[in-house]
Amino acid sequence: MIEKGKSVLLFLLVVMSLYQSYLLAYSKPFMEAKVKTELNYVKTEPLGTELEVRDLIFPEQLVVHLGEDRHTVFYPSTVPYYNLILEKLRSREFKSLQRDSVNAVDWDRIARENQGVELRFGRAIPFELLQRVFRIDGDFLFSRDSIDRIWVYTSKLRDEVRTYFFSSDGRNVYEAQKADLTVGDVEGYVGFGQYWDPYVIYGEEIYIPEKPISRMLAMDVPYDRYTAEQMQDNLFFDASSVRAIPSGTFYNDAKRAMKIEQGGTWLSYTDPVAPTEGADELVENLIAAVGFVNQHGGWNSKHALVQGTDPVKDNANIRFQQYYRDVPVVSGPVMNFGYMQMTLQRGQVTSYARSLVLLDQEVSNKKIRTLPAGSELRSILKSKESVGGRIEAVFPAFRPEMLEDKVVLVPVWAVRLAGGEVAIAADSTAAAATKDK
């Protein structure tokens, strides 16, 4: 009887062993970690909207060459022309890119004699990121280069369209040998600018208006703001471990720190990480930065990826320029407003600074203002260069003035200097009081 029981038990053990072997061979193991580490971004309750990387990459301006040395400029606020041209180019394919020296072509002559459009970006964009916005062939040898300008024009000699991508190092260009663009397409883009404001060259490649611009509005904008409590919940993993100093403007746990400044309108956050080997990659850091903002407060308006203020650490510093009604908001040195600034180390955010202000869509007290042009603007820019150095771009912007219950937005000319700094060059004036000098 005992021997018979042993046989049954042995049989059951063999069956269980075979069954376990079957599970190990044919079932899928559960590989995902059950507990997230602190290095993973924790999804929190969203405050603002979420954006994708492609939403943050768009040209700072479109320079339209009309032929016969006539030019104009479209900005994101130049609706609908800017959007029409950009969307049409986003739908086209650019293939078989071939590298050449930038000096192989006389670009000044091309700009004077041929019709075309230049897409100028606020910072150098790696091909890998540009491919998220435009349909660019990714199978070529120089895909790790960065681009700060795209130029599409019609060649009078061959009755064809030429498309060039300009390397940010200023040495090379890449021509798309195959692009589904026609002469009619380019003529259509140029047609949008035939009756727009005339622009003339300033310096080597900057274009400024010949006549004063009198269509921008100064306005009063009501605002709300994120609270310190909301940002504390969004930035700290364990709210119960956070300590606040008596003034209520500084918060920290064992590792991270958050400071609320400017009367509750500006946030500075730090999260030190151990140094790591290897160079910072802009693509890796940008993707991590966008994901961090999406999960820790969200976006309070439209933003654009722009040049950082430290060229040496350009891939580690990520800067996003805020737009209101498709116009960049530039605060100058008086206060922090109108941008997000982040520092990353191999995809890990170590510092994060941003505005907590939420501008309303309803505005009041709208007044037409005039921006200077012609010789007056030329004189202003020369004076600015004598103090701040070479100017790389000129564009209309809003200068914010913070009041107790509203933000006053005043149109200005802003400039981006060679070092990446954005500064205000000239204020606008009441429309009726301005004369072209």
Side-chain angles (χ1 to χ4, degrees):
M1 186 71 179
I2 295 176
E3 292 298 325
K4 188 175 182 179
K6 288 182 178 180
S7 299
V8 172
L9 180 60
L10 181 60
F11 173 76
L12 291 174
L13 290 173
V14 171
V15 171
M16 289 183 64
S17 177
L18 291 172
Y19 178 67
Q20 289 177 338
S21 298
Y22 169 81
L23 291 178
L24 289 172
Y26 295 102
S27 63
K28 291 183 178 180
F30 185 67
M31 301 298 290
E32 183 178 352
K34 293 183 179 294
V35 180
K36 288 182 177 288
T37 68
E38 286 194 345
L39 291 179
N40 293 115
Y41 295 147
V42 177
K43 184 69 174 178
T44 57
E45 180 182 355
L47 299 176
T49 58
E50 293 189 7
L51 295 178
E52 298 180 9
V53 171
R54 72 187 308 271
D55 299 322
L56 300 156
I57 299 175
F58 52 87
E60 187 175 68
Q61 56 186 243
L62 305 181
V63 179
V64 182
H65 303 291
L66 309 174
E68 300 176 350
D69 203 15
R70 295 180 300 122
H71 318 270
T72 192
V73 178
F74 293 151
Y75 306 99
S77 58
T78 312
V79 292
Y81 307 125
Y82 174 96
N83 291 334
L84 286 171
I85 294 175
L86 186 57
E87 288 307 313
K88 286 179 180 293
L89 289 174
R90 280 176 171 173
S91 66
R92 298 295 188 255
E93 290 186 325
F94 304 95
K95 297 182 178 181
S96 301
L97 272 68
Q98 181 175 323
R99 188 173 70 174
D100 202 349
S101 169
V102 70
N103 297 320
V105 177
D106 184 349
W107 297 106
D108 291 337
R109 182 178 61 80
I110 295 296
R112 293 192 306 270
E113 298 179 0
N114 296 271
Q115 295 185 339
V117 58
E118 288 183 63
L119 288 69
R120 297 186 174 186
F121 297 90
R123 72 160 298 150
I125 309 295
F127 266 116
E128 184 177 343
L129 292 177
L130 207 59
Q131 288 167 335
R132 295 175 179 239
V133 183
F134 298 92
R135 300 169 66 184
I136 303 171
D137 184 4
D139 187 21
F140 66 105
L141 296 176
F142 314 104
S143 59
R144 292 184 63 82
D145 206 344
S146 294
I147 299 301
D148 59 15
R149 186 167 34 145
I150 303 173
W151 195 334
V152 179
Y153 72 92
T154 57
S155 172
K156 285 185 176 181
L157 298 177
R158 303 182 184 178
D159 193 30
E160 64 180 1
V161 178
R162 312 288 295 271
T163 302
Y164 288 89
F165 297 80
F166 287 72
S167 174
S168 59
D169 62 13
R171 297 194 297 265
N172 301 310
V173 292
Y174 301 89
E175 182 177 9
Q177 302 293 315
K178 298 179 182 178
D180 58 344
L181 285 164
T182 66
V183 172
D185 290 331
V186 178
E187 289 176 344
Y189 307 153
V190 171
F192 293 139
Q194 290 290 345
Y195 304 102
W196 202 246
D197 305 313
Y199 277 65
V200 294
I201 192 75
Y202 169 80
E204 294 182 1
E205 54 184 25
I206 296 173
Y207 289 88
I208 62 173
E210 285 188 286
K211 299 178 181 179
I213 306 296
S214 301
R215 68 172 63 87
M216 292 194 69
L217 296 174
M219 62 190 76
D220 296 349
V221 186
Y223 70 91
D224 198 353
R225 60 190 177 197
Y226 297 144
T227 66
E229 291 74 19
Q230 286 175 313
M231 298 311 299
Q232 178 182 329
D233 290 342
N234 271 270
L235 289 169
F236 292 94
F237 293 96
D238 182 6
S240 63
S241 67
V242 179
R243 300 183 303 275
I245 63 173
S247 66
T249 61
F250 186 82
Y251 305 80
N252 71 330
D253 59 12
K255 181 183 178 186
R256 304 166 189 83
M258 179 182 82
K259 186 177 182 181
I260 305 297
E261 305 173 86
Q262 293 184 169
T265 63
W266 187 257
L267 173 142
S268 299
Y269 169 81
T270 57
D271 182 6
V273 299
T276 57
E277 296 183 358
D280 277 292
E281 296 288 343
L282 177 59
V283 176
E284 176 188 10
N285 282 344
L286 177 60
I287 293 172
V290 173
F292 185 90
V293 176
N294 283 343
Q295 298 176 24
H296 295 279
W299 305 83
N300 52 359
S301 67
K302 180 177 181 177
H303 284 72
L305 174 67
V306 295
Q307 184 72 31
T309 56
D310 186 352
V312 177
K313 299 180 179 179
D314 210 23
N315 291 339
N317 294 330
I318 305 292
R319 190 179 181 93
F320 300 108
Q321 176 67 57
Q322 181 181 355
Y323 279 65
Y324 183 77
R325 295 194 171 189
D326 292 318
V327 177
V329 181
V330 177
S331 57
V334 179
M335 65 175 176
N336 293 315
F337 194 102
Y339 66 91
M340 293 188 190
Q341 181 78 34
M342 308 178 75
T343 302
L344 296 94
Q345 185 174 304
R346 300 298 300 274
Q348 294 297 318
V349 175
T350 61
S351 71
Y352 174 41
R354 63 168 294 164
S355 172
L356 300 179
V357 173
L358 302 168
L359 296 175
D360 202 335
Q361 293 302 311
E362 298 296 327
V363 302
S364 61
N365 197 26
K366 293 186 289 187
K367 297 178 181 178
I368 297 177
R369 305 278 289 190
T370 297
L371 291 171
S375 58
E376 180 181 0
L377 180 56
R378 196 180 296 270
S379 177
I380 291 171
L381 295 179
K382 287 182 179 179
S383 176
K384 192 71 177 177
E385 284 187 305
S386 67
V387 177
R390 184 171 60 87
I391 293 174
E392 289 190 340
V394 180
F395 51 88
F398 282 134
R399 174 174 54 80
E401 298 175 2
M402 289 288 300
L403 302 179
E404 185 176 349
D405 59 347
K406 63 186 177 183
V407 177
V408 180
L409 296 179
V410 180
V412 297
W413 280 119
V415 297
R416 189 178 66 256
L417 304 174
E421 178 189 357
V422 175
I424 294 170
D427 265 337
S428 58
T429 57
T434 300
K435 295 182 181 179
D436 186 25
K437 295 183 180 181

